[in-house]
Amino acid sequence: MAMAFNLKDAIVEAVTGLGGSGTALEVREYLRSKYGKEWKNIETIMDDLSVESKSSFFPPEDRVLRQAGSGRYSLKETAASELPEPEILAHEAHPTTSEITNNTLERTNSVYLAKLKQIIDQPALEFAEANSEQVPDTPGIYIIHDKSLKRIIYAEKSGNLRIALLQHKRGNNKGGKFREKLGQELGSKSELEISDYIMSNCSFQFLAVESFEERVRFEHFIAAVLAPVFNIEFQE
């Protein structure tokens, strides 16, 4: 597939590929994963491309994004038509909303259900016993169980499973949403208390997923199907 012609087109392509909305970080990772290219000033350009921008150098007709809150941007209705022609042709190969059939939905669900089954069929690793050799330093998705609540409480994508999971084990609650939320639930700001709770009650399962786009979609699928309590509350 040909590379988008400029940063504006690349951002539109990335947001489209992310399902119609995304943060600057997600857009940056999408473009790096797809093209191996690091664009500068993505945050500034995405703000300038939004219809809400007060200082944009883009004329109103070129502003293809809307601010969706919490640092996220979504596409305006006209954004898809502004993709470069090779991208339009690629998108025309996919069904539109009105053309999606039951077979398409079933096929998509079956793919992600199979991935989810791969995760939950694995033995859960206790945080208290897990070590770096048991977790690969590869991109992927993980879920966290709480045996005291007897449910899955968190799911997230990561560019490095080993770093993410071991940071949950001994990290700073300001450095991760999971520890931050757990600290709020425990009514504690003590790092030691948070770590003790994780070590005593929590376990995890994971699946390596190389594609950033697939990690984003799979994370949303898990949140929709399993409804981990911390993920749902983050989105309120």
Side-chain angles (χ1 to χ4, degrees), residues 50-90:
S50 70
V51 296
E52 295 87 357
S53 176
K54 302 298 184 182
S55 58
S56 175
F57 59 85
F58 288 102
E61 62 271 18
D62 284 345
R63 299 186 195 179
V64 295
L65 301 178
R66 293 187 183 278
Q67 295 177 9
S70 301
R72 301 189 70 82
Y73 294 84
S74 61
L75 290 172
K76 284 172 52 181
E77 293 180 357
T78 57
S81 65
E82 297 182 33
L83 285 169
E85 185 172 351
E87 294 299 329
I88 292 176
L89 294 176

Side-chain angles (χ1 to χ4, degrees), residues 176-211:
K177 292 180 180 179
F178 172 65
R179 286 181 66 94
E180 178 184 359
K181 184 60 183 177
L182 182 58
Q184 293 172 3
E185 290 295 311
L186 296 175
S188 171
K189 295 184 179 179
S190 165
E191 294 297 333
L192 181 59
E193 289 179 353
I194 294 171
S195 294
D196 284 347
Y197 186 91
I198 292 173
M199 299 285 274
S200 299
N201 296 282
C202 296
S203 60
F204 63 89
Q205 295 166 299
F206 62 85
L207 180 69
V209 180
E210 188 66 31
S211 165

Side-chain angles (χ1 to χ4, degrees), residues 25 29 32-33 135-142 156-165 167 207-212 215-216 219:
L25 178 60
E29 289 196 30
R32 184 190 299 120
S33 173
V135 185
D137 58 347
T138 57
I141 296 284
Y142 61 89
E156 189 174 20
K157 65 183 181 299
S158 173
N160 189 309
L161 289 166
R162 180 181 297 168
I163 291 176
L165 288 164
Q167 279 183 343
L207 180 69
V209 180
E210 188 66 31
S211 165
F212 174 74
R215 295 199 302 274
V216 171
E219 180 184 31

Side-chain angles (χ1 to χ4, degrees), residues 1-4 10 13 30-37 39 87:
M1 183 179 293
M3 184 179 292
E13 177 190 337
Y30 178 98
L31 295 176
R32 184 190 299 120
S33 173
K34 185 167 185 179
Y35 294 124
K37 180 177 176 63
W39 269 286
E87 294 299 329

